[in-house]
């Protein structure tokens, strides 16, 4: 399995289109029930990872996607594409944090990444924050799937859309990410990534509840997608290197699960 950014970037640089997709199907070792059991204990943290918990266990992608971690990969200037991958030693999952600007009641989801203006070969490069933006009900990318709304990370928090943490009661109720622009569900979809030579990967998309042509029906799940919750798992938020544009001054502590250690 291709699991880190260097490999992905090497792929992008290659003129050959590899026959193997970005995400291959490893043998599933854990069920949603196991995830719920190992995720019972909670704590508070400013940093966290986002782990996929499928909400439709009968979907063809369910076993593959369950417990994948959210990543954000360089896919153009000031843009990171959200992708879900199985975690491994090189790829533990990206660390995110909630940010709330003074005089604004909305939270946004941020992650720090290197600036596209500085070399990317050093972990001490100054970082900038990338904010999660979910397309609105009226915007979509793929003409075949007008109900599939894109999700992306853009440099700076200005384009980020309001999100929040669902807290429907622990331990088993769930601590997961909500798109405040409208009720619906995040989806993990098997889609090609233009920046990576049209390789297939598991991308993050959004489906609004009220996006159906018939207003009293739930919209259909697009092809090759499974509905997921992005569950909060506590993680250390690395300090920003000197000279960075990102700042953790307004990072908000959140509730998160302490242990999804059985996930691999
Ligand atoms: C990063 O790459 C640049 C240009 O290739 C080089 O000059 C610099 O020494 C490298 N920095 C580190 C820490 O490797
Ligand atoms: C508050 O932040 C949200 C999310 O970034 C943004 O959409 C909204 O315009 C901001 N409101 C004000 C008053 O700045
Ligand atoms: C994961 O999903 C299952 C079934 O959909 C649910 O019972 C469980 O509470 C969820 N776990 C977490 C950590 O949200
Ligand atoms: C989302 O669902 C909640 C609870 O069912 C409801 O109160 C709220 O109005 C809904 N929001 C939107 C934007 O539809
Ligand atoms: C994604 O779709 C492509 C094209 O249909 C297929 O070859 C590939 O196996 C799929 N990947 C997964 C993980 O299902």
């Amino acid at each position: 399995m291709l699991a880190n950014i260097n490999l992905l970037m090497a792929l992008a640089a290659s003129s050959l289109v590899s026959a193997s997709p970005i995400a291959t199907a490893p043998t599933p070792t854990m069920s949603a029930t196991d995830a719920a059991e190992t995720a019972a204990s909670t704590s508070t943290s400013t940093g966290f990872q986002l782990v996929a918990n499928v909400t439709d266990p009968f979907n063809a992608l369910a076993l593959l996607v369950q417990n994948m971690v959210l990543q954000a990969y360089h896919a153009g200037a000031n843009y990171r594409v959200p992708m879900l991958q199985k975690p491994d030693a090189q790829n533990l999952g990206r660390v995110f944090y909630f940010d709330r600007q003074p005089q604004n009641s909305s939270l946004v989801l941020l992650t720090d990444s290197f600036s596209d203006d500085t070399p990317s070969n050093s972990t001490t490069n100054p970082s900038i924050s990338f904010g999660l933006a979910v397309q609105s009900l009226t915007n979509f990318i793929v003409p075949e799937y007008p109900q599939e709304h894109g999700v992306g990370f853009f440099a700076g928090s200005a384009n980020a859309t309001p999100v929040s943490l669902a807290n429907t009661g622990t331990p088993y109720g769930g601590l997961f990410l909500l798109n405040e622009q409208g009720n619906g569900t995040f989806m993990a979809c098997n889609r090609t990534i233009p920046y990576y030579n049209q390789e297939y990967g598991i991308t993050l998309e959004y489906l609004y509840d009220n996006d159906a042509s018939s207003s009293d029906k739930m919209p259909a799940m697009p092809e090759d997608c499974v509905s997921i919750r992005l569950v909060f798992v506590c993680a250390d938020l690395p300090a920003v290197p000197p000279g960075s544009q990102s700042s953790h001054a307004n990072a908000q502590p959140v509730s998160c699960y302490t242990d999804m250690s059985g996930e691999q």
Side-chain angles (χ1 to χ4, degrees):
M1 181 173 78
L2 307 184
N4 65 49
I5 182 93
N6 293 329
L7 226 41
L8 279 168
M9 292 182 103
L11 262 181
S14 163
S15 58
L16 296 171
V17 177
S18 161
S20 65
I22 288 173
T24 55
T27 310
T29 53
M30 191 184 177
S31 68
T33 318
D34 297 327
E37 280 164 10
T38 56
S41 134
T42 64
S43 183
T44 301
S45 174
T46 46
F48 51 85
Q49 293 169 328
L50 290 169
V51 179
N53 196 18
V54 302
T55 57
D56 174 10
F58 302 108
N59 183 289
L61 286 173
L63 285 175
L64 174 68
V65 168
Q66 178 66 25
N67 291 317
M68 279 186 163
V69 290
L70 185 62
Q71 280 288 7
Y73 288 123
H74 178 88
N78 299 320
Y79 173 61
R80 301 287 182 272
V81 60
M83 292 186 60
L84 289 150
Q85 295 187 322
K86 287 288 180 200
D88 61 31
Q90 280 80 47
N91 174 29
L92 295 171
R94 183 163 275 279
V95 177
F96 300 94
Y97 56 101
F98 268 161
D99 190 74
R100 177 182 280 134
Q101 291 302 307
Q103 279 111 41
N104 191 329
S105 60
S106 292
L107 288 169
V108 293
L109 182 80
L110 300 183
T111 185
D112 296 337
S113 193
F114 61 87
S115 162
D116 288 332
D117 301 332
T118 55
S120 60
N121 57 351
S122 163
T123 51
T124 57
N125 276 338
S127 66
I128 57 173
S129 53
F130 282 70
L132 180 92
V134 183
Q135 283 187 319
S136 70
L137 191 54
T138 50
N139 291 318
F140 54 88
I141 298 167
V142 186
E144 294 92 317
Y145 304 117
Q147 292 167 353
E148 180 178 315
H149 301 277
V151 181
F153 290 100
F154 298 93
S157 58
N159 297 316
T161 52
V163 292
S164 64
L165 172 69
N167 193 341
T168 54
T170 55
Y172 295 108
L175 299 167
F176 56 93
L177 186 69
L178 291 177
N179 170 19
E180 283 294 318
Q181 291 185 106
N183 294 329
T185 183
F186 285 98
M187 301 180 288
C189 299
N190 181 16
R191 295 287 182 260
T192 52
I193 321 293
Y195 189 81
Y196 294 107
N197 275 341
Q198 302 291 348
E199 284 278 338
Y200 281 92
I202 304 296
T203 64
L204 184 67
E205 317 287 345
Y206 195 78
L207 186 72
Y208 288 97
D209 285 349
N210 55 343
D211 205 349
S213 36
S214 159
S215 60
D216 58 353
K217 274 195 196 149
M218 285 288 285
M221 185 63 40
E223 228 177 299
D224 295 321
C225 294
V226 61
S227 55
I228 58 168
R229 286 176 170 180
L230 289 170
V231 170
F232 286 63
V233 176
C234 307
D236 288 335
L237 181 62
V240 292
S244 296
Q245 287 175 44
S246 43
S247 157
H248 298 160
N250 298 310
Q252 305 291 314
V254 295
S255 297
C256 43
Y257 296 104
T258 53
D259 182 18
M260 301 243 327
S261 56
E263 74 196 39
Q264 291 170 48

